[in-house]
Amino acid sequence: MKFGYFLQVSVSVVQYALVRRSFNKVYFGQKFPIPFTDHVSNLLQGRASRNIRIPGVSQVYSVQGAFTNTFKFVPRLASSSEPYRFLTNFFLHGDPLHLWFNLSFFASIVPLLRQFNCPRKLFYIIFTMSVIGGNILHSIVSPASPAVGASGGLFGLLGFCLLLAKKYRQNALSESLMRTAGINLIYGYLASGISNGAHIGGLISGGLCGVFFLAFK
C-alpha cells in the first residue's frame, strides 16, 4: 500500500509538472499563455478540457497537456482502439487539491481494510476492478466526457468495507460508511464536473468483490 501512495504521488506530480510547463507555449514565434485558473477549472474531478484553437496551428491545443490526454479515460477511445484507458486514468489528477482529497480518502479507508484482514493481493484486485467498473458505468452515463482520478477505485474499497461491516453487524461503522457514500454522491450530483457514474460503478464493483471474498473465505 505504501507503493500505491508513492505511485499516485509520483505520477501525478510528473503529470502536473508537464501540464504546468506547457502553459506558455510558443507557436511560430507567438506566445499564447493559458491561465492557471483554466487548468484548475477544466481538470478538477475529470471535467472535460476546454480546447483552444491557436492561429496558424491546425490541431486543437488542450489545456490538459499531452500526458493527460494520452492516459485519461475517454469512453470512445477506451471502447475501441485504446482499452488501456480503462485503467490508466486513476494515476492522473486535476491538480494537487484533487490528489490530496483522494489520498486522504485512501488513508482513511486503509485502517478498515486491515481491520477486516484484507490481504494485499485482494486490495489490488478490489481497487483495479473498481476502477474498471467505475469507468464502464461512467462511459454509459457520460459517454462524451473524459475523466481522471482514482475515485472509482476508492469507492470500490468503501463498498467492500461497507459490505463486510453489514455482514459482521458493525452497525455504527456501516452507518458511517453509508453517510460518507451518500454525502459524496449528493455532492457529485449537485456539483459540476464530477463523475457520479464512476463513483457508483466503483461502489458496486467493490461490493461484488466483497461478496466473492465472503463466499470463498
Side-chain angles (χ1 to χ4, degrees), residues 46-170:
R47 183 179 301 172
S49 65
R50 188 186 78 178
N51 292 324
I52 300 173
R53 292 197 175 275
I54 300 174
V57 180
S58 58
Q59 67 181 13
V60 174
Y61 174 72
S62 169
V63 298
Q64 290 187 336
F67 188 88
T68 303
N69 284 330
T70 301
F71 295 106
K72 69 184 178 182
F73 181 69
V74 181
R76 176 178 55 83
L77 296 176
S79 60
S80 56
S81 59
E82 300 174 358
Y84 66 87
R85 291 178 184 267
F86 276 103
L87 189 59
T88 55
N89 68 312
F90 91 85
F91 289 115
L92 305 175
H93 290 84
D95 56 22
L97 183 62
H98 185 191
L99 175 63
W100 181 83
F101 275 124
N102 276 352
L103 287 177
S104 297
F105 196 141
F106 182 52
S108 66
I109 209 78
V110 166
L112 297 180
L113 295 171
R114 290 175 177 155
Q115 176 182 326
F116 291 120
N117 297 316
C118 175
R120 180 170 298 192
K121 289 182 180 179
L122 180 60
F123 160 77
Y124 287 119
I125 291 172
I126 296 169
F127 190 84
T128 302
M129 297 304 295
S130 299
V131 168
I132 296 172
N135 283 333
I136 290 173
L137 190 56
H138 172 83
S139 66
I140 295 171
V141 176
S142 306
S145 299
V148 296
S151 300
L154 295 173
F155 266 78
L157 298 175
L158 189 151
F160 175 81
C161 291
L162 177 58
L163 185 78
L164 266 63
K166 287 283 189 182
K167 170 66 177 179
Y168 297 123
R169 302 184 184 278
Q170 297 188 17

Side-chain angles (χ1 to χ4, degrees), residues 19-20 22-25 27 31-39 42 50 52 54 61-64:
V19 174
R20 196 75 181 92
S22 69
F23 276 1
N24 293 319
K25 302 286 283 187
Y27 294 97
K31 204 171 189 181
F32 296 90
I34 300 174
F36 176 76
T37 52
D38 283 351
H39 165 62
N42 289 311
R50 188 186 78 178
I52 300 173
I54 300 174
Y61 174 72
S62 169
V63 298
Q64 290 187 336

Side-chain angles (χ1 to χ4, degrees), residues 146-210:
V148 296
S151 300
L154 295 173
F155 266 78
L157 298 175
L158 189 151
F160 175 81
C161 291
L162 177 58
L163 185 78
L164 266 63
K166 287 283 189 182
K167 170 66 177 179
Y168 297 123
R169 302 184 184 278
Q170 297 188 17
N171 296 329
L173 177 59
S174 62
E175 289 176 6
S176 175
L177 293 174
M178 288 179 65
R179 280 197 301 270
T180 300
I183 290 171
N184 279 276
L185 291 175
I186 292 172
Y187 178 73
Y189 177 77
L190 296 176
S192 60
I194 296 176
S195 176
N196 255 353
H199 293 172
I200 295 171
L203 193 68
I204 294 172
S205 300
L208 290 175
C209 288

